[in-house]
Amino acid sequence: MSDTVSGCTRPRTTATEAEVEALVHGICFKTGPPTRLGVEVEWLVHELRAPRLPVSPERLDAVYTALRAVPLRSALTVEPGGQLELSSLPAASLTECVDTVSADLAAVRAVLREDGLGLVGLGHDPWQVPRRFLRQPRYDAMEACLDRGGPAGRYMMCTSASVQVCLDAGHEEPGPLGHVRRWWLAHQLGAVLLAAFANSPLAGGRPTGWRSTRQLRWAQIGTGRAGGPALDTDPRGTWTRHVLDAPVMCVRRDGGPWDLPEGLTFREWIRSGRPRPPTLEDLDYHLTTLFPPVRPRGHLELRMIDAQPGDDGWRVPLAVTAALFDDPEATETAYRAVKPLTERTLGRPAPHNPLYEDAARDALTDPELREAAVTCFEAALAALPRLGATTEVTDAVAGHLERYVRRGRCPADDLLDMPDGASRGPHGRETRP
């Protein structure tokens, strides 16, 4: 969730509506042959000996100070609740991406281990209530803004973690690797990825009734902040309108607390000029406060995948996603597999539609999602050697296919099967988004 917007920083000059439209339209989809791949891996940080106990802010501060002295190729950032994130540089291949992030994670784990801490791959903390570690104006404003809609925002900020896969936008021209097809596929296939990798069924030590409680939290935040635009054949135009018509989270001040306008869209802010005229720098910031399941940032950022179990579980969604988007044969198979699922969206943008709701709640116990997932995983597995994937990576994907996908299961089901009471089933179901 830590965000910077590259290619968009401008001096503090007042922005016109035409300038904003042109800038967003120009930067959101940078087209060309798909050649680069990236991943952002978020982790909860727990005590190794007593993972249910909270880690004190003092210990987190000390270990993050130590980590900043460690040479890493990935960018290391800290999330509001103290979660750790590594963001890879754009890689020229899946193998390069996997090797770089794996080496960085090994270095990070060594430092954490010295202080009795470890990285935990869960989409939502099963035990902790939201406690904010970072005290910065951005997160003060975010918390206050999201609190208007209920507690989901605090849970998202402080107790969630994900695997975010970043892909090139694709070719300008039509076709399987064109940006219009890839934008559409990212949203529809996103529901299958959400279901196949759901890994957050618990909160407060009890089942929530959702296999991806993390996705539930995002949906509860609302359409303006965490929703995507309608899908059509003009992704640039629809995203530009979505950005301008999305609510402003805050108006930053150089000194003192930031303003928190309620219900003010960026378009309305430009037209009214109140409480002060917005600048292009404000647009940069506004783009980082929108959290749709697929975010165009020149490239496509897929944000619907829960953090995965084990030290290397994150490699599987990275490899599967890369194969299904960058191998022409696999992407055609994935397109055919997920196309029948589109009727279940009822034409509503993700994630606030029945398809995403079913994926987050039921995961692969849903027969149609299971069937699509099996087809997509088999296609990815066949494509990975063509992408130069190592045997280690292909074996991990094959293992996930056999252990979970073919059986209609996901990592969340392992947690629900635990003998400590979580196996009693999805009782106490929370309100649907």
Side-chain angles (χ1 to χ4, degrees):
M1 196 181 65
S2 54
D3 289 290
T4 57
V5 178
S6 61
C8 189
T9 303
R10 297 291 186 275
R12 289 196 176 190
T13 55
T14 300
T16 67
E17 191 169 342
E19 288 174 329
V20 168
E21 288 180 341
L23 186 57
V24 176
H25 196 276
I27 67 169
C28 56
F29 293 88
K30 294 181 180 177
T31 52
T35 59
R36 296 284 176 173
L37 176 69
V39 68
E40 300 174 16
V41 286
E42 296 175 343
W43 303 86
L44 305 176
V45 178
H46 283 179
E47 296 275 2
L48 288 175
R49 294 184 178 179
R52 299 191 184 204
L53 295 180
V55 182
S56 71
E58 293 76 18
R59 289 185 68 196
L60 284 175
D61 189 59
V63 77
Y64 285 138
T65 298
L67 281 173
R68 291 186 181 98
V70 177
L72 302 171
R73 291 190 62 189
S74 306
L76 185 147
T77 52
V78 181
E79 298 298 304
Q83 311 97 304
L84 182 146
E85 177 180 293
L86 283 182
S87 302
S88 73
L89 294 172
S93 70
L94 173 61
T95 297
E96 178 187 331
C97 188
V98 167
D99 288 349
T100 298
V101 177
S102 296
D104 287 343
L105 282 169
V108 167
R109 287 193 177 97
V111 173
L112 292 173
R113 197 179 303 115
E114 291 180 359
D115 199 34
L117 301 176
L119 300 179
V120 177
L122 289 168
H124 189 281
D125 197 301
W127 306 296
Q128 302 303 323
V129 297
R131 296 185 314 140
R132 192 147 59 89
F133 169 67
L134 295 181
R135 295 291 170 179
Q136 300 172 3
R138 168 181 171 87
Y139 298 121
D140 292 344
M142 180 181 291
E143 182 178 275
C145 176
L146 296 178
D147 276 351
R148 292 168 176 165
R154 293 196 181 204
Y155 279 98
M156 176 275 292
M157 292 174 65
C158 300
T159 66
S160 70
S162 68
V163 176
Q164 298 176 17
V165 181
C166 299
L167 305 155
D168 282 332
H171 292 284
E172 185 69 30
E173 63 269 16
L177 301 183
H179 75 285
V180 175
R181 170 76 73 86
R182 286 164 74 86
W183 175 245
W184 181 92
L185 184 62
H187 287 84
Q188 310 300 9
L189 180 60
V192 177
L193 297 173
L194 164 60
F197 297 110
N199 187 37
S200 52
L202 307 174
R206 296 171 63 85
T208 63
W210 297 75
R211 284 173 172 80
S212 179
T213 302
R214 172 184 168 273
Q215 183 59 54
L216 170 66
R217 303 298 188 202
W218 279 112
Q220 289 173 330
I221 288 171
T223 58
R225 185 70 51 206
L231 298 180
D232 59 22
T233 57
D234 179 23
R236 289 189 178 94
T238 55
W239 177 250
T240 299
R241 289 189 294 274
H242 182 76
V243 169
L244 266 71
D245 294 331
V248 172
M249 177 175 284
C250 56
V251 177
R252 297 173 296 167
R253 299 287 186 184
D254 291 331
W258 295 358
D259 294 332
L260 297 171
E262 189 164 4
L264 178 71
T265 68
F266 202 89
R267 191 188 305 277
E268 292 166 344
W269 187 12
I270 295 172
R271 293 178 178 180
S272 69
R274 297 176 182 175
R276 63 165 175 78
T279 66
L280 294 179
E281 189 178 59
D282 291 317
L283 172 64
D284 291 357
Y285 182 80
H286 176 62
L287 288 168
T288 72
T289 68
L290 304 180
F291 308 112
V294 183
R295 186 162 60 174
R297 306 179 66 185
H299 58 273
L300 301 182
E301 182 183 81
L302 277 66
R303 304 171 53 87
M304 72 291 294
I305 302 170
D306 281 354
Q308 294 299 286
D311 289 352
D312 302 322
W314 58 273
R315 299 178 182 185
V316 179
L318 172 64
V320 169
T321 306
L324 295 178
F325 276 85
D326 291 348
D327 180 85
E329 183 178 337
T331 198
E332 274 296 319
T333 300
Y335 174 79
R336 292 193 298 269
V338 303
K339 192 172 183 180
L341 298 174
T342 59
E343 294 182 2
R344 293 173 57 176
T345 69
L346 302 182
R348 301 175 192 165
H352 299 92
N353 63 47
L355 178 61
Y356 268 70
E357 181 180 330
D358 292 343
R361 185 187 59 242
D362 303 327
L364 297 187
T365 64
D366 181 293
E368 289 184 311
L369 285 167
R370 176 186 177 183
E371 181 180 359
V374 169
T375 300
C376 289
F377 267 72
E378 290 176 343
L381 197 56
L384 284 170
R386 297 193 290 268
L387 297 180
T390 64
T391 301
E392 186 178 12
V393 169
T394 56
D395 285 350
V397 172
H400 195 100
L401 171 62
E402 297 303 325
R403 179 176 179 178
Y404 296 116
V405 179
R406 291 198 196 280
R407 299 170 62 196
R409 292 174 60 86
C410 62
D413 291 306
D414 290 347
L415 296 171
L416 292 173
D417 287 345
M418 289 168 57
D420 62 357
S423 61
R424 289 192 297 268
H427 60 277
R429 179 171 293 176
E430 295 190 16
T431 305
R432 292 190 179 191

